[in-house]
Amino acid sequence: MQNIRGQTILVTGGAGFIGSHIVDALVENNEVRILDNLSSGVASRIPDSATLFEGDIRDSDVVREATAGVDIIFHQAAVVSVSKSVKDPVMCHDVNSTATLRLLEAARSENARVVLASSAAIYGHPSTVPISEEEPASPTSPYGLQKHSLDRYAQLYNELYGVDTVVLRYFNVYGPRQTKGDYSGVITVFLEQALAGDPITVNGDGQQTRDFVFVDDVVQANLSAATTESVGEAYNIGTGNGITIGELAETIRDVTSSGSPIVHTDPRPGDIRYSCADTSSAQSNLGYVPRVSLDEGLERLLTYERSTRTDT
Ligand code: NAD
């Protein structure tokens, strides 16, 4: 883990899944602020020593207040849903693209570094796997297009204004506290189904592949991005190992010792067939090495899920 100390840090979306883990890694040695509207984030996750600015990243007053005097911004807040972006592209654009642009402006005036959460969704249907950062962006949803615009704006802000920006293109992140929904949450959904003894529902033939990366590895990438000299770049953050959704369903049934049947539903329109990250650039420039195997990550998630069930 990188040693970041004595900094004033803003984590947008810091009450959410990934953001809250970034907060946990930083709060002991830094002044940490969180800007979150709690639309999917959870206030009780916020450590006492962090400061919550409860508000919307579309609100320029709260953004100004939260960014005053910051050294580093980890930008995680977003509408994280392909289907919502298809239903309401304009609202999602306001949050995912326009508000990000304002945040970059704030970083420019505060001389702050910004680490931004982009997504493998920008690649759409890639021509080859594993996917390198050179793969042309060809998003198949407003969400993917919005992440692409954020990704490009961040690189432009480095070129035009010298803002230290680093973009992390997350693949499928999983781990404790995950907000459920879309493919990013498929592990959490399968686990819930397996633990409840309900059918595990696989979309289509289950031969589609995804690269699942445990949240601790994503935190590690964020911390390295906050100190790297290789700014103005975008990096893939995955594991480099793809697994089919069918295999994932079987693995989850095994680790939970569940008797759930695996059932296949209609394929989701526009679903990407193959997705797996080439992480060599993150490895060379961020020293990023994913450490948590899928088996270990699933065990840790299962332990967490069981503990939350016992607690309630
Ligand atoms: P999440 O929904 O758990 O977290 C998002 C957080 O942003 C929540 O706390 C939510 O309340 C907050 N938020 C949403 N809209 C807001 C607004 N208008 N103003 C202020 N706060 C707002 O999602 P996550 O999985 O932790 O995702 C974090 C980031 O990672 C997002 O930018 C997402 O696009 C990106 N990402 C996630 C994955 C994944 O697999 N989880 C994959 C690729 C990219």
Side-chain angles (χ1 to χ4, degrees):
M1 283 272 175
Q2 299 294 319
N3 210 356
I4 301 173
R5 291 178 168 270
Q7 305 290 301
T8 303
I9 292 171
L10 172 66
V11 184
T12 72
F17 163 45
I18 299 168
S20 66
H21 288 277
I22 295 174
V23 168
D24 286 352
L26 292 166
V27 76
E28 200 177 315
N29 297 316
N30 300 279
E31 183 200 320
V32 175
R33 304 173 185 173
I34 292 167
L35 171 52
D36 201 301
N37 67 356
L38 304 181
S39 53
S40 61
V42 179
S44 59
R45 283 177 189 158
I46 298 176
D48 290 343
S49 50
T51 308
L52 172 65
F53 292 77
E54 188 176 342
D56 200 292
I57 51 163
R58 287 168 290 183
D59 175 345
S60 28
D61 290 339
V62 76
V63 167
R64 208 171 305 116
E65 213 187 321
T67 53
V70 288
D71 301 304
I72 309 168
I73 300 170
F74 293 91
H75 180 38
Q76 306 298 311
V79 179
V80 192
S81 163
V82 168
S83 53
K84 263 192 207 158
S85 81
V86 171
K87 254 190 226 137
D88 196 348
V90 176
M91 182 279 287
C92 290
H93 185 93
D94 284 347
V95 176
N96 294 346
S97 301
T98 311
T100 300
L101 186 56
R102 277 211 211 88
L103 199 69
L104 284 166
E105 269 300 295
R108 183 182 163 201
S109 62
E110 296 294 335
N111 199 19
R113 173 174 290 225
V114 197
V115 180
L116 301 96
S118 181
S119 167
I122 73 166
Y123 296 119
H125 300 282
S127 54
T128 51
V129 281
I131 307 168
S132 89
E133 288 84 354
E134 306 310 317
E135 175 73 27
S138 183
T140 55
S141 66
Y143 172 76
L145 184 57
Q146 290 150 14
K147 285 288 173 185
H148 179 50
S149 82
L150 158 162
D151 189 308
R152 290 296 304 128
Y153 266 124
Q155 291 176 62
L156 261 186
Y157 263 63
N158 177 259
E159 287 163 28
L160 293 176
Y161 310 117
V163 178
D164 283 351
T165 59
V166 181
V167 172
L168 301 178
R169 296 177 181 161
Y170 303 159
F171 279 62
N172 291 74
V173 189
Y174 71 103
R177 307 179 190 155
Q178 177 142 42
T179 305
K180 295 176 186 78
D182 286 349
Y183 253 101
S184 57
V186 68
I187 286 187
T188 309
V189 172
F190 282 1
L191 257 188
E192 288 249 315
Q193 292 172 331
L195 290 173
D198 292 339
I200 300 176
T201 48
V202 171
N203 293 123
D205 64 6
Q207 291 307 302
Q208 62 276 38
T209 59
R210 294 293 181 271
D211 182 342
F212 293 100
V213 54
F214 194 69
V215 66
D216 288 10
D217 286 326
V218 174
V219 171
Q220 180 215 327
N222 273 275
L223 301 190
S224 302
T227 53
T228 183
E229 286 174 12
S230 303
V231 294
E233 300 288 340
Y235 300 104
N236 287 340
I237 301 301
T239 65
N241 298 311
I243 179 174
T244 70
I245 298 298
E247 279 173 88
L248 176 72
E250 281 169 25
T251 308
I252 288 183
R253 190 170 55 177
D254 290 349
V255 294
T256 52
S257 312
S258 166
S260 292
I262 295 173
V263 298
H264 291 259
T265 59
D266 287 341
R268 297 196 311 181
D271 219 359
I272 296 159
R273 194 69 181 156
Y274 302 114
S275 177
C276 179
D278 174 348
T279 58
S280 45
S281 182
Q283 205 167 328
S284 338
N285 293 313
L286 303 180
Y288 168 74
V289 182
R291 295 179 203 285
V292 183
S293 67
L294 186 61
D295 285 347
E296 183 191 339
L298 288 177
E299 282 299 338
R300 285 167 65 175
L301 181 55
L302 186 58
T303 305
Y304 166 80
E305 285 288 333
R306 289 202 165 122
S307 73
T308 55
R309 274 149 213 264
T310 332
D311 292 349
T312 48

